[in-house]
Amino acid sequence: MDFISILSIFVLACFVGYYVVWSVTPALHTPLMAVTNAISSVIVVGALVAAAAQGSPLAKWLGLGAVVLASVNVFGGFAVTARMLAMYRKKDKAAPKAGVKR
């Protein structure tokens, strides 16, 4: 494929991804993040394979960059998912303070 075709697919994927993510209801956000984390973990494995390849040094540096970016995405996704799940937990009622009269 030539560069223009690859670039047009990338731009189209950016637009589609933007509209898909912003149209998700908050109730579906946590399952969507879980799937995104699974996909990113597959990207980490592919990036490790690319970084370990016996090819050019450029491929190794690009693989390392892909590992770093995908790892940030995975860990950030888990942090956001944990925060979203915390919103659905029951909150404990605080005990009244001893020195306060009502």
Side-chain angles (χ1 to χ4, degrees), residues 1-101:
M1 295 181 94
D2 59 339
F3 178 74
I4 299 296
S5 297
I6 294 172
L7 182 65
S8 61
I9 290 171
F10 176 74
V11 170
L12 181 63
C14 288
F15 280 117
V16 169
Y18 175 80
Y19 284 110
V20 166
V21 169
W22 284 109
S23 65
V24 171
T25 61
L28 294 177
H29 186 268
T30 302
L32 180 65
M33 286 300 297
V35 172
T36 304
N37 288 337
I39 292 170
S40 292
S41 63
V42 171
I43 292 170
V44 169
V45 172
L48 286 171
V49 170
Q54 296 295 328
S56 68
L58 177 65
K60 290 183 182 185
W61 284 107
L62 288 175
L64 176 66
V67 168
V68 170
L69 292 175
S71 298
V72 167
N73 190 20
V74 169
F75 296 129
F78 282 129
V80 169
T81 301
R83 193 167 176 186
M84 289 287 290
L85 289 174
M87 291 172 44
Y88 295 107
R89 290 190 189 120
K90 288 185 178 181
K91 296 179 180 172
D92 296 332
K93 291 185 179 180
K97 294 183 181 179
V100 177
K101 292 183 181 179

